[in-house]
Amino acid sequence: MDYNDILSDRVKTIKPSGIRKFFDLASQMEDVISLGVGEPDFTTPWAIREAAIYSIEKGRTFYTANQGLQELREEICRYYQRRFHVEYNPKDNCIVTVGGSEGIDIAIRAILNPGEEMIVLDPGYVAYTPGVELAGGIPVTINLRQEDEFKLTPELLKAAITPHTKALLINYPSNPTGGFMTKSDYEKIVPIIKESGIIVISDEIYAELSYEEEFCSIASFDEIKDQVIVVSGFSKAFAMTGWRLGYVLAHPVLTKAMNKIHQYIIMSAPSSAQYGAIEGLRHCYDEVLKMRDSYKARRNFLVKTFNDMGLETFKPQGAFYVFPCIRSTGLTSDEFCEKLLEDQKVACVPGTAFGPAGEGFIRVSYAYSLEELKIATEKIKIFVDKCRGNHD
Ligand SMILES: Cc1ncc(COP(=O)(O)O)c(C=O)c1O
C-alpha cells in the first residue's frame, strides 16, 4: 500500500519536532547527560498526589463536565485574579484542558479559517507553527533578536501585520529563550493590537517562573482583554507534566467556540488530575515558590558559567532555559549539538529546533539539579575549548 496516497496533505507537510529527532539520537547512546528536556525535575507536591489518590479511592472516576469540574474552574479564576489581577468567570470564561497543549490547539482552531495568517515568534515553542498549519492557517514568523532580549517590539509587530492577519501567538516567559515582557514592554504593543483587532493567544505556561519582575499578562490590559485567549496549565509551576492538565481563559464567545472542539475531541480532562489541581491551587503555592527559587539559583549558575566560557548568554528573566550563543565556536547549532553529544555525551537542543532564527544558539534546560548542571557544563567547557583549539 502506498501510504503517501493515504496520509493527509496537511500531516505530510508538517515536520517532525527537532527536539524529538535529537533525543532519538541521544537515546541510542549510553551514559548521556541530557540538558534537553523541558520538564521539572521535581515530583508533584505530595498534597496534590494525595488528593488525586483520595479521589480515586472515593470512586470519582467518571467524566467531569466538559469544561471541567466547577470547583476547579472556580479555583483557577480565583487564582488568576489573586496572582495576575484579571477577572474571569468560571462558567463563561474557563475550560479545563488536557495540558496547555490542548489549549493551544483549540485556541488556534477556534479562530483560524484556512488561508488566514497567524503571527508566531521565532525562536518559539515547537508546537505553534505545526498547530497553525494543521488548522489550514498560514504561520507568519517574526524573527526575535538577542539584542532586544527576544522581546516582541512594536516595530517588529507592526511590520508583520497584514490585512490577512487573524491572530498573534505569544509566549512570555519564553521557551526557548527565557525572554520576558514587562508591563511597559506590553504598553508599547497593546495599542497596535487594539487598532488592528487581532486576537492574541498568550501562552503563559511559565508565568510562575518569573525571576526578576512580577509576571504581567497581556490580558490585564482592559482595552484588549476581550481579544486575548490565555493558555496556561499545571505542568511547569506545579511540576505536573504527566497529569496532562491546563486551562484556557477567554471572552465567552471564544470560550464557547473552543468548548465545541474540546467536547468532541476530549470530552473532559482527566478527573483525578482535576481533583489534585484543586488541592494544588488551594494549598501548594509555597512549594511553587520553593521550586522557583531553586530554578533561579540554577539560572544564575548557568548564565555565569556559559559567559565565563566565552559563550555569550543573555540572562533569562523566566522559564527554565538558557539560550547561549555558540557562534564563536564556528559551528552551526546542529553541528554544535551533534559534536557535543559525540564528544562529551551531553545532549542540548539546537536553537534551530525552535525556528530558523534559533541558528547560532543552543537551548539548555535547567530543570536539572545543580550537581548535574555542574558536571554537564564542565564537559561543555572541554568541548568548547577543543573547538577553539585550546587543548590544554
Ligand atoms: C511554551 C510551552 N507551551 C506549552 C507547553 C505544553 O505544556 P503542557 O501541555 O504540558 O501543559 C510547553 C511544554 O513544554 C511549553 O514549553
Side-chain angles (χ1 to χ4, degrees), residues 38 99-101 104 125 128 171 175 203 205-206 235-236 244 321:
S101 302
I104 295 163
Y125 178 52
Y128 301 148
N171 163 230
N175 174 11
D203 179 348
I205 198 100
Y206 295 101
S235 288
K236 315 291 173 171
R244 310 309 305 126
Y321 311 97

Side-chain angles (χ1 to χ4, degrees), residues 158-324:
K158 256 190 219 152
I161 294 177
T162 75
H164 306 290
T165 308
K166 187 67 164 286
L168 159 72
L169 208 168
I170 56 172
N171 163 230
Y172 289 103
S174 154
N175 174 11
T177 64
F180 189 85
M181 292 282 279
T182 61
K183 186 159 187 273
S184 69
D185 294 326
Y186 278 131
E187 276 164 359
K188 294 176 198 142
I189 63 166
V190 162
I192 303 168
I193 291 163
K194 170 91 186 150
E195 197 195 318
S196 60
I198 59 174
I199 297 292
V200 180
I201 301 175
S202 177
D203 179 348
E204 304 181 356
I205 198 100
Y206 295 101
E208 287 292 359
L209 306 181
S210 300
Y211 304 119
E212 312 301 333
E213 286 199 39
E214 273 290 302
F215 172 77
C216 170
S217 171
I218 194 162
S220 66
F221 291 84
D222 286 341
E223 61 271 46
I224 56 159
K225 182 186 168 195
D226 289 348
Q227 288 169 248
V228 177
I229 301 175
V230 170
V231 175
S232 195
F234 296 86
S235 288
K236 315 291 173 171
F238 291 86
M240 290 179 69
T241 45
W243 298 67
R244 310 309 305 126
L245 206 67
Y247 52 89
V248 289
L249 299 166
H251 182 275
V253 172
L254 296 171
T255 305
K256 218 173 181 177
M258 289 188 281
N259 198 41
K260 268 203 234 169
I261 309 173
H262 171 81
Q263 72 188 359
Y264 289 124
I265 61 166
I266 299 291
M267 303 268 277
S268 63
S271 46
S272 52
Q274 294 192 52
Y275 286 104
I278 294 171
E279 180 64 22
L281 290 172
R282 285 186 183 156
H283 298 124
C284 296
Y285 195 62
D286 283 355
E287 296 191 55
V288 172
L289 293 183
K290 262 192 229 154
M291 292 189 267
R292 181 174 72 193
D293 287 347
S294 170
Y295 294 130
K296 186 176 176 183
R298 301 167 189 191
R299 175 204 62 168
N300 293 346
F301 167 77
L302 280 186
V303 170
K304 179 169 183 339
T305 306
F306 280 117
N307 279 309
D308 284 352
M309 69 174 87
L311 299 183
E312 187 195 348
T313 301
F314 147 82
K315 188 174 189 183
Q317 310 278 300
F320 41 49
Y321 311 97
V322 289
F323 207 56

Side-chain angles (χ1 to χ4, degrees), residues 48 94 102 116 133 161-162 168 204 265 301 346-347 361:
I48 297 176
C94 179
E102 190 217 344
E116 287 177 338
E133 287 169 343
I161 294 177
T162 75
L168 159 72
E204 304 181 356
I265 61 166
F301 167 77
V346 176
F361 298 88

Side-chain angles (χ1 to χ4, degrees), residues 71-102:
E71 229 181 325
L72 175 56
R73 279 180 283 134
E74 282 167 8
E75 286 304 333
I76 289 170
C77 293
R78 254 182 235 133
Y79 159 84
Y80 205 79
Q81 157 71 34
R82 180 169 75 239
R83 291 287 299 122
F84 310 125
H85 322 295
V86 190
E87 221 161 284
Y88 286 108
N89 151 346
K91 181 169 158 283
D92 301 320
N93 304 124
C94 179
I95 306 169
V96 179
T97 57
V98 178
S101 302
E102 190 217 344

